Amino acid sequence: MTDVIRFSAARTAAAIAAGELSALEATQAALDRIAKVDDRINAFLHVDVDGAVAAARDVDRRRAAGERLGPLAGVPLALKDVLTARGMPTTCGSRMLEGWKPPYDATVVSKLRAAGVVIIGKVNMDEFAMGSSTENSAYGPTRNPWDTDRIPGGSSGGSAAAVAAFETPISIGTDTGGSIRQPAAVCGLVGVKPTYGGVSRYGLVAFSSSLDQAGPLARTVTDAALLHAAIAGHDPLDTTSIELPVPGVVAAAASRDLRGVRIGVVRELSGDGYDIGVRARFSDALEVLVGLGAEVVEVSCPHFTYALPAYYLIAPSECSSNLARFDAMRFGLRIGDDGEAGAEEVMTRTRGAGFGAEVKRRIILGTYALSSGYYDAYYGQAQKVRTLISQDFAAAYERVDVLVSPTTPTVAFRLGEKIDDPVAMYLSDLCTIPSNLAGGPAMSLPIGLADGLPVGFQIMAPTFADDRLYQVGGALEAALDAARGHPFLDDAPAL
């Protein structure tokens, strides 16, 4: 079973379909691995042993009956605890929802179950997806499997750490300002934010509704593509869902031809503030792309400079509205209801006890930005910047097919290093935020190590052109693996 945990999702599914491996064996291998290492990682908040075993046995029964299985049937998966799943707690990493079990599945979860994917359990995250290090979880920080004294990124740190620690081969995260791509980068994984609306948000507990998007984390581009295809598609339950065919991401991931592909290096996402090792690995990857036949040019997106401040007005404004539902009156935590306290006092006590410091900070900031007399000066201006950023993307894509940058300015930093400096923490998402503001798809994939820690390479594409990410990412991954002679994550230290 030791070898099974290192199988890719595609290899696991193929072995199950061929009868060489049972889904139950794959699931038990994941459960055994979690039991062995998760006390050092803290990726999982809830392990659904009974549900996972039952789902695996159902896949095995269907295979034995001769049913045609999907490309991920029987593969274990970790689910970020911001997506509702019937029968499992959904806490959003917060005391506010501790112990809450939703009565319905998110559309993403429904699609996973229909595909025969085995959901092992729910994984840790920054509270209500607000953070870049998973240190804001009410249930303790998750640790990076490459170095357990360092952060795994955030807010989908549990989703990334579970895959990097070989607890599951794939996971689902969510990305509001980089919360899939940044953890993928610092944990040495492939992480994808699909086009906004390409994956249903129904059942995804909202942080910032115009930015949130669920997507895959995996150890290979092909695995990410298979998972992307499984969860994507139009959903009438989500009014922002796109009624268009899912791009051919799986076929694109198998392409190795980059001849004629034009790649733009974003001038504004480079320079000071980037680790020397990050810049070196990024330059090396560009040389590989040129060797594969791509044309690499520099492009300017001048308004990207304002993406970070615009994001930290838009996202907190939307979170202050979305989190108003946690009022101690309808569901979730209730503190101080002694029969004498009024509704306002109970609400105040509950929010004081239920929300952590970062969530309170963003609620206050967002409420201020939306308040009378400040709405136009702050929130309104930020939305204008958002339009300008979208226009920068549109102009760049007239010249190139995709844009690229480092995913993060630095490798994983140490736990506690930036927790008391919010601005320094926010800078972790410097490169990833523009794609969220414009709604376009973006990918991070590992390109090597700096100081013994993973470095991520970000690829951005126009809206609805998610397949371009997989075409470029698949070709780059294959070339790097061929040069190294082994899969990238074999470098990861064994826990």
Side-chain angles (χ1 to χ4, degrees):
M1 287 302 160
T2 301
D3 292 335
V4 171
I5 63 168
R6 289 184 175 262
F7 282 7
S8 68
R11 183 179 175 188
T12 300
I16 292 169
E20 300 166 0
L21 174 73
S22 72
L24 185 59
E25 288 173 329
T27 297
Q28 191 59 56
L31 293 171
D32 290 346
R33 178 67 173 176
I34 293 165
K36 180 180 178 182
V37 305
D38 203 61
D39 60 337
R40 284 168 279 168
I41 301 298
N42 193 33
F44 278 84
L45 297 180
H46 174 75
V47 180
D48 184 23
V49 176
D50 292 342
V53 168
R57 284 177 172 159
D58 184 61
V59 170
D60 289 335
R61 176 191 60 76
R62 290 164 54 199
R63 184 193 65 78
E67 288 187 35
R68 185 174 181 181
L69 301 175
L72 288 177
V75 176
L77 173 139
L79 184 69
K80 186 175 180 179
D81 202 25
V82 74
L83 287 149
T84 60
R86 192 171 54 251
M88 284 186 267
T90 297
T91 71
C92 297
S94 178
R95 295 294 180 195
M96 187 63 81
L97 285 174
E98 188 171 12
W100 180 62
K101 290 188 177 182
Y104 67 100
D105 282 340
T107 296
V108 165
V109 173
S110 297
K111 285 177 173 284
L112 291 170
R113 295 194 200 276
V117 174
V118 177
I119 300 174
I120 294 290
K122 307 294 283 296
V123 284
N124 204 8
M125 55 182 284
D126 284 299
E127 185 180 10
F128 285 104
M130 299 180 199
S132 302
S133 65
T134 316
E135 293 173 286
N136 294 325
S137 171
Y139 306 100
T142 297
R143 296 173 179 271
N144 193 321
W146 287 79
D147 181 344
T148 54
D149 289 330
R150 296 180 184 267
I151 59 99
S155 61
S156 304
S159 302
V163 178
F166 298 98
E167 294 177 309
T168 61
I170 50 176
S171 68
I172 296 290
T174 63
D175 196 309
T176 305
S179 288
I180 289 174
R181 288 161 289 155
Q182 185 250 10
V186 300
C187 287
L189 304 174
V190 179
V192 179
K193 183 198 87 69
T195 293
Y196 179 81
V199 174
S200 174
R201 291 188 302 109
Y202 179 76
L204 193 169
V205 180
F207 158 22
S208 181
S209 301
S210 73
L211 300 166
D212 299 338
Q213 185 64 86
L217 287 120
R219 291 195 287 269
T220 71
V221 172
T222 295
D223 284 0
L226 290 168
L227 185 52
H228 187 152
I231 63 174
H234 178 251
D235 179 14
L237 298 175
D238 177 4
T239 57
T240 61
S241 180
I242 298 167
E243 199 165 355
L244 288 173
V246 178
V249 294
V250 176
S255 173
R256 299 292 181 260
D257 186 4
L258 295 186
R259 288 173 295 179
V261 174
R262 298 164 299 164
I263 295 174
V265 179
V266 182
R267 182 185 306 158
E268 286 75 16
L269 299 181
S270 61
D272 294 338
Y274 291 76
D275 284 354
I276 293 174
V278 170
R279 292 202 303 265
R281 297 294 80 73
F282 181 69
S283 296
D284 293 344
L286 291 177
E287 290 182 10
V288 172
L289 291 171
V290 171
L292 292 171
E295 177 188 356
V296 176
V297 299
E298 185 178 74
V299 299
S300 177
C301 297
H303 297 101
F304 280 21
T305 305
Y306 308 108
L308 193 68
Y311 173 87
Y312 279 103
L313 285 168
I314 293 169
S317 295
E318 294 185 6
C319 102
S320 74
S321 176
N322 280 324
L323 270 60
R325 72 192 70 181
F326 301 104
D327 57 5
M329 300 298 140
R330 289 169 283 189
F331 55 86
L333 187 69
R334 182 182 297 196
I335 299 292
D337 185 9
D338 56 7
E340 296 182 4
E344 186 173 341
E345 186 175 353
V346 171
M347 188 184 304
T348 300
R349 291 177 181 176
T350 299
R351 288 178 170 172
F355 289 139
E358 182 62 26
V359 172
K360 291 174 182 175
R361 179 185 291 117
R362 297 198 194 192
I363 289 173
I364 291 169
L365 177 59
T367 303
Y368 180 82
L370 293 175
S371 62
S372 177
Y374 296 100
Y375 181 96
D376 290 334
Y378 292 104
Y379 183 75
Q381 288 295 101
Q383 291 289 14
K384 291 176 182 178
V385 170
R386 187 177 193 171
T387 300
L388 294 172
I389 289 169
S390 295
Q391 291 173 351
D392 280 354
F393 271 114
Y397 290 134
E398 290 180 359
R399 294 184 54 203
V400 298
D401 299 303
V402 298
L403 296 171
V404 300
S405 76
T407 308
T408 59
T410 69
V411 295
F413 49 87
R414 294 191 179 277
L415 287 160
E417 183 177 328
K418 299 182 181 182
I419 195 67
D420 295 322
D421 188 348
V423 174
M425 185 75 77
Y426 297 165
L427 287 169
S428 300
D429 300 327
L430 182 68
C431 301
T432 54
I433 281 172
S435 289
N436 293 87
L437 291 173
M443 168 189 286
S444 178
L445 75 156
I447 53 171
L449 304 177
D451 299 322
L453 296 168
V455 175
F457 184 90
Q458 180 176 222
I459 308 165
M460 297 165 277
T463 52
F464 318 125
D466 303 52
D467 52 326
R468 295 188 194 177
L469 305 176
Y470 291 93
Q471 179 189 3
V472 175
L476 178 57
E477 176 188 72
L480 291 172
D481 282 349
R484 286 190 289 255
H486 55 79
F488 175 75
L489 270 175
D490 280 356
D491 292 334
L495 288 167

